[in-house]
């Protein structure tokens, strides 16, 4: 038995929320992807297998739709809506990411569905939320990252702020939605009642600012972007450093917690001849405060950074990673996607999962379970579904539609 | 009377520290879980030393990051290395439904508090360990922060300009991603326990969970053998798709045209209708081929305008646009205000403290941050007397034994 196997999830999401249903599916829930005829528009998001655009070949789709079954249903036509209501009768969760108000407009708003199934938990994922002055704003990943705070902090200081090249905003929102759904479920166990959940991606990505979104209300200094680091007041703090063969992330910071690691780093650098003993013996814990008070001039900060840089530049990423393991230095390499897939660490933990795609006669390697559960391990039971792959199974076998009825619904273009 | 929250009754003993761990239990605390977090009297939680600081002043309680990650929790300062720590911790384990920790692997074993020990105390306990690379493997032992897990997971290389070194996402990126997976894992394991009586141990690698945020890029490599690289603000589907300069210092506006209709609206708004029928730009595929020229044309228009004017004008035409906001602009943003994103809480030493509110609105049993993050040892008396029911004499004995530093 898996963790959420007793529960059924109806997943109506577009690219705004696909990950939410997949998380519940990975945890064992029966997730039914309800798609418009011809399939979800998210199936046409690149990249594609062999770069051939096709609703059943989108790798974007594959990344967020395993452990789901697919049916197609035209919700905008009354017969489609009625069939959908029958499916809702037995559902535990409904996840949707339409523009605010869309489901109500087609007669499938929360109150209609809750009258059919009062236990239903309906989760809505949008960019700006279900109401409010910007609720109907047009959106995209880039727009949310701009509105919610991460972007102004990211990129080179002489160029526009940037996003992560792989869209992130709706993934943050979808994970927040999954938590909220399970919290509401916990409450439902005693009350027997469902409820509505409203997730706004702009708020979810504000969480991705390391709390710098709080700078203004706290009366604190705003951090500013700097390639591979951050500017705080006069301090330009590098977090990415050059090596002989690329870059590493290395933390060289001060204060009562992080200064301890900087002290350790400087001890090693002194041992290796990159700095003198006087530099090694500086108060690295108090260094930040000493810079602020002027006890240490800014030039000393620059000199220390140069020492660290000369050290990283004369080593390879692999050599530096070895130091992280052996000496506890706070350093890891900046890897490419290829490095990640070939990582020894991930291999040793059996991370990658091979999933059969019989329709393509291929075995595909997927990123593995998001956590290792000792009693109820995550299983990749179902590869991402083809468009309407489970129409027969769900409409005939589970909903009891006759073959004739199913055929006529297909002819009418409802299914 | 305050409204009942959805996770009331769930009890969490929280050994997590810094950011990724505490951020996950903060979410559960908002939903009503009772969280007792353990802090060391000798080794300060790194998060207490991290900016932004309230009123720009460094102090043990003034970190915005610490407060944001720990609002709503109870704080117990206790020395895990003290010989008598085990008896108090054992009682707290018996009280708890969930135990969470985010030390380096093996640290809990060092304290004599690994899963096998906890399970012997309470057989159905759910325990979650969250660390950078997972509990096993050649890199299990590396200490570090979310910027390091993000770098080694490929996020940095995928953020920035193709002609420049990687910029990387801001800060400790996996510390914003992995807490969501941790919270979901805990709630699912609790549901399983409720139905079956079975607890379990959860090994959450911050790197492995976060890799799901790069899923399409990973599959592009395993399926097509293509190694994606950072691409500035470009997008494989849309153009224009960029961040454009606006009037003023470091003022920017993001604009995305998702289809030809939106592009035509943009052209009309810019009073450049002729561009919508220009063979270089009329259709999406052509716009992608003439991205750079298009970006120049859009920038020439935005450069003279205030960013909020560009945003409002385009959004009035249903074109996706938003100014790039910093903290003060988000604080003033009408939508963030409408959703009550910032919550001011009373604070025992700093009078009040602002944190971010819950990130989902529940219609019937809403989440709520009810109190500020604990000051050091703020709730020692409450935990020992009220939760554990210890007598005054027993508490005095423990104090004398040096348990609380």
């Amino acid at each position: 038995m898996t963790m959420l196997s007793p529960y059924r999830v109806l997943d109506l999401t577009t690219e705004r929320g696909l990950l939410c249903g997949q998380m519940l599916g990975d945890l064992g829930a029966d997730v039914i992807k309800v798609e418009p005829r011809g399939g979800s528009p998210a199936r046409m998001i690149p990249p594609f297998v062999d770069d051939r655009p096709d609703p059943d070949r989108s790798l974007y789709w594959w990344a967020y739709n395993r452990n789901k079954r697919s049916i197609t249903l035209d919700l905008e036509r009354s017969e489609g809506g009625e069939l959908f209501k029958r499916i809702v009768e037995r559902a535990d969760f409904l996840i949707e990411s339409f523009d605010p108000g869309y489901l109500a407009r087609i007669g499938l708003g929360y109150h209609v569905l809750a009258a059919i199934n009062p236990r239903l938990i309906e989760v809505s994922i949008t960019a700006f939320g279900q109401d409010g002055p910007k609720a109907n704003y047009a959106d995209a990943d880039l727009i949310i990252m701009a509105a919610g705070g991460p972007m102004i902090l990211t990129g080179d200081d002489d160029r526009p702020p940037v996003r992560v090249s792989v869209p992130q905003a709706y993934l943050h929102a979808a994970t927040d939605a999954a938590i909220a759904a399970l919290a509401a479920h916990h409450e439902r166990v005693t009350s027997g009642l469902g409820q509505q959940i409203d997730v706004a991606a702009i708020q979810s990505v504000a969480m991705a600012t390391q709390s710098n979104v709080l700078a203004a209300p706290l009366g604190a200094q705003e951090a500013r972007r700097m390639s591979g680091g951050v500017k705080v007041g006069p301090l330009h703090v590098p977090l990415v450093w050059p090596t002989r063969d690329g870059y590493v992330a290395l933390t060289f910071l001060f204060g009562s917690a992080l200064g301890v690691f900087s002290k350790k780093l400087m001890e090693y650098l002194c041992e290796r001849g990159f700095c003198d003993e006087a530099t090694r013996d500086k108060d690295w814990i108090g260094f930040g405060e000493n810079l602020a008070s002027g006890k240490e001039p800014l030039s000393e900060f620059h000199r220390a950074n140069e020492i660290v840089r000369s050290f990283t530049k004369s080593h390879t990423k692999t050599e530096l990673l070895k130091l992280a393991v052996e000496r506890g230095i706070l350093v890891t390499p900046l890897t490419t996607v290829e490095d990640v897939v070939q990582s020894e660490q991930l291999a040793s933990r059996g991370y990658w999962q091979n999933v059969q795609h019989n329709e393509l006669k291929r075995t595909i390697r997927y990123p593995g379970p998001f956590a290792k559960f000792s009693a109820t391990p995550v299983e990749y039971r179902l590869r991402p579904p083809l468009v309407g792959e489970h129409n027969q199974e769900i409409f005939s076998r589970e909903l009891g539609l006759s073959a004739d009825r199913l055929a006529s619904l297909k002819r009418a273009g409802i299914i | 009377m305050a409204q009942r929250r959805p996770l009331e009754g769930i009890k969490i003993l929280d050994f997590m520290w810094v950011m990724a761990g505490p951020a996950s239990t903060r979410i559960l605390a908002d939903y009503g879980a009772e969280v007792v977090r353990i802090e060391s009297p000798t080794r300060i939680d790194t998060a207490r030393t991290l900016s932004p600081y309230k009123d720009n002043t460094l102090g043990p309680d003034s970190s915005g990051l610490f407060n944001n990650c720990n609002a709503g929790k109870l704080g117990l300062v206790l020395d895990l290395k003290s010989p008598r720590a085990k008896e108090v911790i054992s009682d707290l384990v018996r009280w708890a439904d969930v135990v969470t920790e985010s030390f380096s692997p093996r640290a809990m074993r060092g304290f004599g508090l690994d899963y096998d020990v906890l399970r012997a105390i309470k057989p159905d306990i759910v325990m979650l360990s969250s660390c950078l690379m997972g509990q096993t493997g050649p890199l299990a032992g590396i200490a570090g922060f979310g910027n390091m897990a993000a770098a080694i997971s490929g996020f940095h290389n995928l953020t920035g300009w193709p002609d420049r070194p990687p910029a990387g996402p801001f800060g400790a990126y996996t510390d914003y991603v992995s807490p969501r997976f941790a919270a979901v894992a805990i709630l699912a394991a609790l549901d399983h326990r409720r139905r079956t009586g079975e607890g379990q141990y959860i090994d959450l690698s911050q790197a492995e969970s976060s890799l799901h945020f790069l899923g399409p890029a990973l599959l592009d490599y395993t399926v097509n053998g293509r190694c994606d690289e950072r691409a500035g603000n470009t997008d494989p589907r849309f153009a224009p798709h960029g961040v454009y300069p606006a009037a003023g210092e470091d003022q920017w506006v993001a604009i995305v045209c998702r289809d030809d209709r939106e592009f035509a609206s943009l052209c009309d708004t810019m009073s450049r209708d002729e561009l919508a029928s220009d063979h270089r730009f009329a259709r999406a595929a052509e716009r992608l081929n003439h991205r750079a020229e298009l970006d120049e044309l859009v920038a020439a228009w935005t450069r003279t305008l205030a960013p909020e004017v560009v945003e409002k004008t385009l959004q009035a035409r249903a074109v996706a646009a938003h100014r790039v906001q910093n903290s003060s602009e988000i604080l003033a943003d009408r939508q963030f205000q409408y959703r009550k994103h910032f919550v001011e809480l009373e604070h025992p030493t700093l009078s009040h403290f602002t944190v971010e509110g819950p990130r989902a609105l529940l219609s019937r049993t809403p989440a709520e941050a009810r109190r500020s993050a604990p000051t050091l040892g703020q709730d020692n008396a409450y935990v020992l007397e009220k939760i554990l029911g210890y007598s005054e004499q027993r508490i005095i004995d423990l104090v004398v034994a040096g348990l609380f530093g």
Side-chain angles (χ1 to χ4, degrees), chain A residues 58-73:
Chain A
S58 160
L59 299 175
Y60 180 89
W61 176 264
W62 286 9
Y64 300 117
N65 288 285
R66 84 175 151 269
N67 286 335
K68 300 181 186 178
R69 301 190 288 166
S70 162
I71 59 173
T72 53
L73 190 56

Side-chain angles (χ1 to χ4, degrees), chain B residues 110-305:
Chain B
F111 294 128
L113 296 170
D114 53 286
Y115 176 61
D116 286 335
V117 173
L118 302 192
R119 179 163 61 165
I121 298 167
K122 189 166 192 183
D124 66 348
I125 198 80
V126 169
M127 179 177 182
L128 178 132
S129 293
S130 165
C131 69
L132 222 52
M133 305 301 294
Q135 299 293 310
T136 58
L139 299 184
I142 60 175
F145 304 104
N147 62 317
M148 293 162 58
I152 202 169
S153 302
F155 285 95
H156 281 61
N157 200 52
L158 287 166
T159 310
W161 303 97
D163 62 332
R164 293 269 183 92
F170 179 72
Y173 193 72
T174 56
D175 288 0
Y176 329 140
V177 177
S178 66
R180 276 77 176 253
F181 288 98
V184 163
I186 289 167
L187 291 174
L190 280 174
D191 195 66
H192 176 78
R193 187 187 76 153
R194 179 182 61 78
R195 289 183 291 105
T196 65
E198 183 180 45
Q200 62 183 309
Y201 177 69
I202 306 164
D203 165 9
L204 184 120
S205 153
Q206 292 159 22
E208 287 173 11
S209 57
S210 299
L211 279 176
H212 288 276
F213 277 34
L214 296 180
L218 294 168
L219 287 171
D220 202 15
Y221 183 80
T222 64
V223 174
N224 291 328
R226 184 188 292 122
C227 189
D228 289 1
E229 286 289 334
R230 58 192 167 279
N233 284 321
T234 62
D235 186 89
R237 286 186 290 167
F238 307 132
H241 186 284
V243 173
Y244 302 92
E249 198 205 329
D250 207 25
Q251 295 294 313
W252 306 90
V253 59
I255 300 174
V256 174
C257 289
R258 298 168 298 180
D259 55 35
D260 297 345
R261 186 200 59 77
E262 292 183 1
F263 179 64
S265 298
L266 171 67
C267 295
D268 189 44
T269 311
M270 297 194 300
S271 305
R272 297 291 305 269
D273 283 307
E274 77 282 6
L275 297 176
S277 51
D278 188 309
H279 69 93
R280 292 170 300 168
F281 307 130
R283 299 220 317 266
E286 283 124 30
R287 287 197 297 279
L288 289 170
N289 289 331
H290 297 93
R291 226 179 233 146
E293 292 162 77
L294 192 53
D295 282 346
E296 283 299 318
L297 291 166
V298 176
W301 174 65
T302 57
R303 196 169 274 128
T304 58
L305 300 168

Side-chain angles (χ1 to χ4, degrees), chain A residues 199-261:
Chain A
V199 176
I202 52 164
Q203 290 186 279
S204 294
V205 303
M207 165 87 194
T209 64
Q210 205 162 303
S211 296
N212 274 277
V213 72
L214 294 173
L218 292 179
Q221 204 159 32
E222 298 233 21
R224 300 186 64 195
R225 74 184 176 283
M226 180 183 109
S227 185
V230 58
K231 292 187 206 173
V232 188
L235 291 186
H236 293 198
V237 182
L239 292 163
V240 170
W241 305 74
T243 68
R244 266 172 55 196
D245 57 350
Y247 300 88
V248 286
L250 181 146
T251 308
F252 178 55
L253 291 170
F254 321 106
S256 46
L258 295 168
V260 181
F261 290 97

Side-chain angles (χ1 to χ4, degrees), chain B residues 31-71:
Chain B
Y31 284 122
E34 188 168 25
V35 181
V36 173
R37 80 184 300 270
I38 307 296
E39 278 190 77
S40 161
T42 50
R43 186 172 182 184
I44 190 168
D45 185 341
T46 307
R48 287 190 183 272
T49 72
L50 298 177
S51 63
Y53 311 115
K54 184 167 166 25
D55 302 323
N56 254 346
T57 309
L58 180 60
D61 299 325
S62 73
S63 162
L65 191 151
F66 176 82
N67 273 271
N68 211 22
C69 291
N70 293 294

Side-chain angles (χ1 to χ4, degrees), chain B residues 27 49 310:
Chain B
I27 305 170
T49 72
V310 176

